[in-house]
């Protein structure tokens, strides 16, 4: 479901850059709605969205290679401003009659730009004769400009580092303005969408809430709606937004599969039933799930088992309610981007890492996905707009398969109880230290390893517990959190003292690329 019809949309055509999502984020930070579409779906996107401006992303291909990606011709005949970044600049120049060559001096990383001429793109940010740091990542470069363009900035490795055709409002930059290593890059992108494209910058969460509620009502009508509520930020915000739109037509279903954190199910039920008065059915299915998972060590089989059982339980509860016409899901924009990425990749495997599967066709329900246009931090902003308590808005992400993927190897009730207790102590220490909001996600993992240790006068043979904490903005990339040793020592001491079954604690300092924030 496309939640809203945005009158002011910036279309971003993706050539496969690792930074494409950052472009969308910078545009949204400027108060303008943006949407990413693969370059080869550009014509349809232009017709559907009628964008007020278009941005061409960078990409890994060489513009001089036969069959390398190109922008749809409609980009340059749409009559709207175009900003082409890195590979996008090269593709634009090649398509409009310029020349691109390979084998020249490469630029990767920090570089310095010399502003040769004033330009609308630089207005209020950079002026003629000034020098600025930017971030480069290219091997090919433009060597001849299409008719109508002029050079407005150069660097040591890119004589056409920034170009402009002011009459057509076409601009190209060889550097990446979307990354933080180009300090003024966000201001340049704001200049493009606000001043050159003339967009108002009034895309806010308050406006999104109003438009989304109207869209949900229009889609659902008088139909019955159910929502799989996990208590995480995404499903909680999706449920509250839908409840605001359709009220008692919505029933939330919480499947308690025995894999949730300590007291988590009770907290979710209390908040939604008592505070928000949302119709909620809690299903105690722990015996079913844990019985099926007993001893299963293969991570993909665990996920598939959980997914299958979740669907079966959810379907049975939906039938008890007399069926439903619509299903609410907390799909986010990164999920949408990943699922349509033209570059392919292991998205199915990555997504199984966090999710437990889709619904079978036999359930015959239409989807309502009110968050599918939002990044994770935007979902949190919408949660604040809806009045969700801070403790839920800032809650660390929790995977669909729950503690099963934080318990590598065979899953047993005893191991889950040990893990739950250790995880609760870890999070308690994080909160006491005032670190919870500084960390994107923190959790304990019970390793399938037992070690010999001496505790007091006894020799023990117990499990090793790994602690993980990462920092992130939108959940797409992550780095480990830099604890001091006093914190780690205090936390490890509590866990080994208070949790019977653990005699050693380690800290995971692995940085993770996109999509792999979880542990297993």
């Amino acid at each position: 479901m496309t939640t809203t019809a945005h009158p002011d949309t910036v279309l971003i055509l993706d050539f496969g850059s690792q930074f494409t999502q950052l472009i969308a984020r910078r545009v949204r930070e400027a108060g303008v709605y943006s949407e990413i579409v693969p370059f080869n779906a550009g014509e349809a996107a232009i017709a559907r969205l009628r964008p007020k401006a278009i941005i061409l992303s960078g990409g890994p291909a060489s513009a001089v290679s036969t069959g390398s990606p190109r922008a749809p011709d409609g980009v340059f005949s749409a009559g709207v401003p175009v900003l082409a970044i890195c590979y996008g600049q090269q593709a634009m120049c090649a398509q409009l009659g310029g020349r691109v060559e390979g084998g020249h001096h490469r630029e990767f990383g920090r570089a310095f730009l010399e502003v040769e001429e004033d330009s609308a793109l630089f207005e209020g940010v950079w002026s003629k004769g000034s020098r600025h740091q930017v971030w480069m990542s290219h091997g090919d470069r433009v060597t001849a400009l299409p008719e109508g363009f002029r050079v407005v900035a150069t660097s040591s490795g890119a004589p056409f580092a920034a170009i402009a055709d002011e009459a057509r409002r076409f601009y190209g930059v060889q550097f990446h303005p979307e990354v933080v290593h180009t300090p003024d890059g966000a201001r340049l992108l704001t200049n493009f969408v606000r001043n050159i494209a003339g967009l108002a910058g009034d895309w806010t969460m308050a406006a999104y809430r109003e438009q989304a509620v109207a869209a949900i009502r229009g889609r659902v009508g008088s139909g019955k709606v159910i929502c799989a509520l996990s208590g995480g930020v995404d499903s909680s915000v999706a449920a509250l937004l839908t409840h605001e739109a359709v009220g008692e037509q919505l029933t939330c279903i919480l499947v308690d599969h025995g894999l949730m954190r300590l007291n988590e199910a009770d907290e979710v039920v209390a908040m939604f039933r008592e505070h928000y008065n949302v119709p909620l059915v809690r299903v105690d299915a722990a015996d079913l799930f844990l019985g099926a998972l007993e001893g299963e060590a293969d991570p993909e089989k665990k996920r598939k088992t959980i997914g299958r059982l979740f669907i079966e339980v959810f379907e049975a509860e939906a039938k008890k309610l007399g069926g439903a016409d619509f299903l609410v899901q907390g799909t986010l924009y990164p999920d949408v981007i990943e699922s349509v990425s033209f570059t392919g990749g292991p998205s199915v495997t990555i997504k199984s890492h966090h999710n437990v599967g889709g619904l079978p066709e036999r359930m015959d329900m239409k989807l309502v996905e009110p968050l599918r246009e939002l990044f994770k931090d935007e979902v949190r902003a919408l949660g604040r707009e809806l009045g969700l308590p801070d403790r839920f808005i800032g809650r660390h992400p929790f995977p669909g398969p729950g503690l099963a993927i934080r318990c590598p190897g065979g899953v047993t009730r005893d191991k889950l109880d040990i893990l739950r207790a250790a995880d609760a102590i870890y999070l308690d220490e994080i909160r006491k230290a005032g670190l919870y909001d500084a960390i994107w996600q923190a959790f304990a993992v019970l390793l399938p390893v037992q070690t010999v240790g001496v505790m007091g006068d006894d020799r023990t043979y117990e499990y090793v517990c790994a602690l993980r904490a990462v920092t992130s903005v939108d959940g797409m990339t992550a780095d480990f959190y830099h604890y001091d040793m006093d914190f780690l020592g205090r936390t490890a001491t509590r866990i080994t003292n208070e949790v019977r079954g653990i005699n050693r604690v380690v800290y995971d300092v692995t940085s993770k690329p996109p999509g792999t924030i979880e542990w297993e």
Side-chain angles (χ1 to χ4, degrees):
M1 183 187 78
T2 298
T3 304
T4 57
H6 300 284
D8 290 345
T9 295
V10 173
L11 173 62
I12 301 167
L13 293 186
D14 182 20
F15 287 102
S17 169
Q18 61 182 318
F19 303 134
T20 301
Q21 291 199 39
L22 290 178
I23 302 173
R25 294 185 56 76
R26 298 294 175 260
V27 172
R28 292 186 180 194
E29 288 165 4
V32 176
Y33 178 72
S34 60
E35 190 164 318
I36 299 172
V37 173
F39 77 95
N40 52 8
E43 290 284 10
I46 292 171
R48 173 175 61 88
L49 297 171
R50 297 183 180 179
K52 297 294 179 62
I54 298 173
I55 298 177
L56 307 181
S57 84
S62 170
V64 301
S65 298
T66 302
S68 57
R70 291 292 185 263
D73 292 337
V75 167
F76 307 112
S77 60
V80 301
V82 177
L83 174 62
I85 297 172
C86 197
Y87 178 87
Q89 184 208 46
Q90 297 166 10
M92 178 176 71
C93 287
Q95 289 179 249
L96 296 181
R99 185 169 65 250
V100 180
E101 296 181 5
H104 291 279
H105 175 67
R106 300 185 303 169
E107 281 186 307
F108 293 98
R110 185 178 291 105
F112 290 90
L113 202 75
E114 304 286 346
V115 178
E116 306 291 343
E117 300 289 343
D118 290 328
S119 166
L121 185 63
F122 301 158
E123 189 172 348
V125 183
W126 293 343
S127 58
K128 181 178 178 179
S130 58
R131 186 170 185 262
H132 304 276
Q133 178 183 311
V134 296
W135 189 261
M136 293 284 191
S137 181
H138 66 97
D140 301 340
R141 73 182 188 190
V142 175
T143 56
L145 293 180
E147 185 177 350
F149 281 86
R150 63 190 176 95
V151 176
V152 293
T154 62
S155 73
S156 60
F160 300 94
I163 60 176
D165 180 339
E166 306 281 7
R168 289 185 287 182
R169 298 184 294 172
F170 291 172
Y171 302 87
V173 295
Q174 187 60 70
F175 59 91
H176 287 274
E178 67 272 26
V179 302
V180 296
H181 308 292
T182 300
D184 295 320
R187 296 174 64 195
L188 295 178
L189 288 167
T190 297
N191 215 16
F192 176 71
V193 299
R194 298 285 295 276
N195 298 331
I196 293 173
L199 303 182
D202 56 2
W203 191 75
T204 64
M205 280 303 106
Y208 186 91
R209 173 185 181 179
E210 182 179 344
Q211 294 169 347
V213 165
I216 294 168
R217 285 174 181 158
R219 177 168 176 77
V220 169
S222 59
K224 294 178 64 176
V225 188
I226 56 175
C227 174
L229 184 65
S230 69
V233 177
D234 303 340
S235 67
S236 296
V237 172
L240 287 181
L241 189 65
T242 304
H243 185 252
E244 181 173 305
V246 300
E248 297 296 312
Q249 293 170 240
L250 170 70
T251 300
C252 292
I253 299 175
L254 173 65
V255 178
D256 185 355
H257 45 31
L259 301 168
M260 301 178 79
R261 291 172 287 205
L262 190 66
N263 300 325
E264 190 166 41
D266 293 337
E267 293 172 1
V268 173
V269 171
M271 185 181 76
F272 277 83
R273 281 183 182 167
E274 298 170 15
H275 187 72
Y276 289 103
N277 199 30
V278 175
L280 172 63
V281 175
R282 177 179 180 174
V283 184
D284 184 357
D287 288 343
L288 175 66
F289 279 81
L290 299 184
L293 289 170
E294 189 84 25
E296 179 58 70
D298 183 88
E300 285 302 312
K301 288 181 179 179
K302 283 195 283 189
R303 294 183 183 98
K304 289 177 180 178
T305 298
I306 293 167
R308 174 179 58 79
L309 293 176
F310 183 89
I311 290 169
E312 290 175 4
V313 173
F314 195 78
E315 184 177 25
E317 292 302 315
K319 288 180 179 178
K320 291 179 185 178
L321 294 170
D325 305 298
F326 296 90
L327 169 69
V328 176
Q329 286 191 169
T331 306
L332 302 191
Y333 196 40
D335 300 323
V336 177
I337 295 168
E338 184 181 85
S339 67
V340 299
S341 173
F342 83 94
T343 56
S347 63
V348 174
T349 301
I350 290 172
K351 287 175 72 62
S352 78
H353 195 83
H354 303 284
N355 302 322
V356 292
L359 291 172
E361 292 184 4
R362 68 175 183 270
M363 293 190 73
D364 192 29
M365 285 184 283
K366 299 175 183 177
L367 284 178
V368 176
E369 297 175 304
L371 309 181
R372 66 177 285 119
E373 296 174 351
L374 303 182
F375 289 98
K376 187 76 172 189
D377 56 317
E378 292 171 330
V379 172
R380 289 194 166 116
L382 180 57
R384 292 187 187 94
E385 180 69 27
L386 291 165
L388 260 177
D390 286 342
R391 70 180 185 278
F392 271 83
I393 292 171
R395 204 170 196 175
H396 292 177
F398 192 62
L403 296 181
I405 65 168
R406 296 178 182 175
C407 189
V411 176
T412 67
R413 293 173 187 270
D414 287 344
K415 288 171 69 174
L416 289 171
D417 288 339
I418 292 171
L419 175 57
R420 235 185 302 270
D423 190 67
I425 291 172
Y426 181 32
L427 295 179
D428 181 55
E429 286 296 323
I430 289 173
R431 289 189 174 94
K432 286 179 177 177
L435 299 176
Y436 191 85
D437 291 338
I439 296 170
W440 168 266
Q441 187 183 46
F443 53 88
V445 179
L446 194 68
L447 300 182
V449 175
Q450 290 178 284
T451 64
V452 175
V454 175
M455 301 178 71
D457 295 326
D458 294 327
R459 185 181 297 274
T460 63
Y461 185 61
E462 296 178 332
Y463 288 105
V464 177
C465 174
L467 304 181
R468 178 143 175 77
V470 298
T471 57
S472 182
V473 174
D474 51 18
M476 298 307 296
T477 58
D479 195 7
F480 69 91
Y481 186 81
H482 294 254
Y483 287 126
D484 63 55
M485 292 306 296
D486 287 343
F487 172 86
L488 289 174
R490 184 169 63 251
T491 303
T493 298
R494 273 199 66 189
I495 290 173
T496 54
N497 283 346
E498 298 177 31
V499 182
R500 186 174 296 276
I502 293 176
N503 67 2
R504 184 157 294 142
V505 176
V506 298
Y507 183 56
D508 177 7
V509 295
T510 308
S511 296
K512 297 281 183 175
T516 55
I517 288 178
E518 273 294 347
W519 208 89
E520 190 178 56

